[in-house]
Amino acid sequence: NFNEAGARYVRMIERFPGEQTYYSSGFVNFLQAKNYSAANKILDREKSKLGCNADWFLKKFNVFIGMGKKEQAEVVLTNGLAQFPGQIQLLRALINFYTEALQQEKADRLLKQICASDPNNGEVKSQYAQLLYANGNKIEADSLWVECLSLRDFSLEKKAEILLRRNKAFGCTTSTINTTSRFMKENPSLFIAHTLSGDLEVLCKNNISAIEHYSNALKINPQAYPVWITVLEMYHQEENWDSLNLCSQRCLALFPSQPFPYLMQSRALLNMDLPDEAKVACDMGKDLLFDNPFLGNKFTVTDVLINVSKKDAKNIEIVLQPILKAPEISLNDRLDILNYLVNNAKAI
């Protein structure tokens, strides 16, 4: 019972009024019980005994919101920001409060004011840029994002988030290429710098460059299995069978229980005119499948292609007819089969 737990912490506060953890625990329990009056009393007592910080104002705000006293909630956050200017938690709470109240002008004015008074606050600038972008002011938003990228005290993680957001929003442009390239050159040992560059090269339809960037990322963190998948898929798209085979081997050395690298290795070996080896890789991958019908279909298609390459007409006929009619087989997979049949028609 949250109320009973809260009451126990109140008794502890009476015995040990200087112990901050008792105030926090009592407040949380009363808040869970939606006993806002009791939660508010704990906050008032905490302020009188220990003073207040930014978190105290946020708690007070949540209590007033729970009580339905929105005007008082707004005043608390405003007072909190006056005492702790630029404090991101209070700022976000007030921005969300204005947004939910459909008071976008107030939110815009507040962020603009803080950006002007504290131009090196990347958190605030980024928040303001997001609000501008959501309201359709894309050019002004992007200008602020670019400013954030040049701030010394803005964390690399936050800068990477902005680059990712810009690249998704604006795609392959001179500006996104320049900022992403600069970030990578300044942080050559940072994993995400290379994956961001790879993602952007994909948007720019430069698959070869994308593979190079992703490969560099894997040198930094070879355990990033999703990046291995991306590289394997891109080698397959490029029909670079030798590289696909080698990359599949390197991936399997790290992830021997994953079926997808076996599938890619099988496709590579098949296109290198090694159908027996392709069959071995395909069967090993199928043995590792578990509740993945999509990937299972890919292995079934690969089986068909191997049968075609081995000129096993009986197996082709048995497997091919239900495959081409099955609704779960994608159009691309059907085209793979048909293209392979056309290319090998004379040999079958």
Side-chain angles (χ1 to χ4, degrees), residues 124-145:
V124 174
K125 276 193 175 181
S126 178
Q127 183 87 359
Y128 187 29
Q130 289 181 57
L131 180 64
L132 289 170
Y133 186 85
N135 291 337
N137 299 326
K138 295 183 179 181
I139 294 176
E140 192 176 351
D142 192 42
S143 177
L144 284 174
W145 277 329

Side-chain angles (χ1 to χ4, degrees), residues 22 111 130 134 250 275 292 339 347:
Y22 293 142
L111 282 168
Q130 289 181 57
R250 290 197 296 269
N292 192 336
N339 286 335

Side-chain angles (χ1 to χ4, degrees), residues 250-270:
R250 290 197 296 269
C251 184
L252 286 168
L254 294 167
F255 305 98
S257 62
Q258 291 291 341
F260 184 74
Y262 284 105
L263 174 66
M264 291 291 97
Q265 185 179 44
S266 180
R267 290 287 182 97
L269 293 167
L270 177 60

Side-chain angles (χ1 to χ4, degrees), residues 215-235:
S215 298
N216 287 334
L218 288 172
K219 291 176 184 176
I220 297 169
N221 180 13
Q223 296 300 318
Y225 181 65
V227 180
W228 282 104
I229 292 179
T230 301
V231 173
L232 291 171
E233 288 176 336
M234 295 188 77
Y235 275 135

Side-chain angles (χ1 to χ4, degrees), residues 199-246:
D199 293 345
L200 184 58
E201 291 291 359
V202 171
L203 293 175
C204 295
K205 303 188 186 305
N206 295 327
N207 282 4
I208 303 302
S209 295
I211 290 173
E212 182 181 347
H213 288 302
Y214 290 136
S215 298
N216 287 334
L218 288 172
K219 291 176 184 176
I220 297 169
N221 180 13
Q223 296 300 318
Y225 181 65
V227 180
W228 282 104
I229 292 179
T230 301
V231 173
L232 291 171
E233 288 176 336
M234 295 188 77
Y235 275 135
H236 188 273
Q237 291 170 14
E238 292 296 311
E239 299 184 2
N240 189 337
W241 308 122
D242 288 335
S243 295
L244 179 59
N245 182 37
L246 290 172

Side-chain angles (χ1 to χ4, degrees), residues 23 67 76 88 90 119 212 229 315 319 322 327:
Y23 294 94
M67 290 178 168
V76 163
I88 196 66
L90 297 178
E212 182 181 347
I229 292 179
N315 281 340
V319 177

Side-chain angles (χ1 to χ4, degrees), residues 312-325:
D312 192 341
K314 182 179 180 181
N315 281 340
I316 295 166
E317 186 178 355
I318 292 172
V319 177
L320 187 58
Q321 294 214 7
I323 288 291
L324 291 178
K325 293 179 181 178

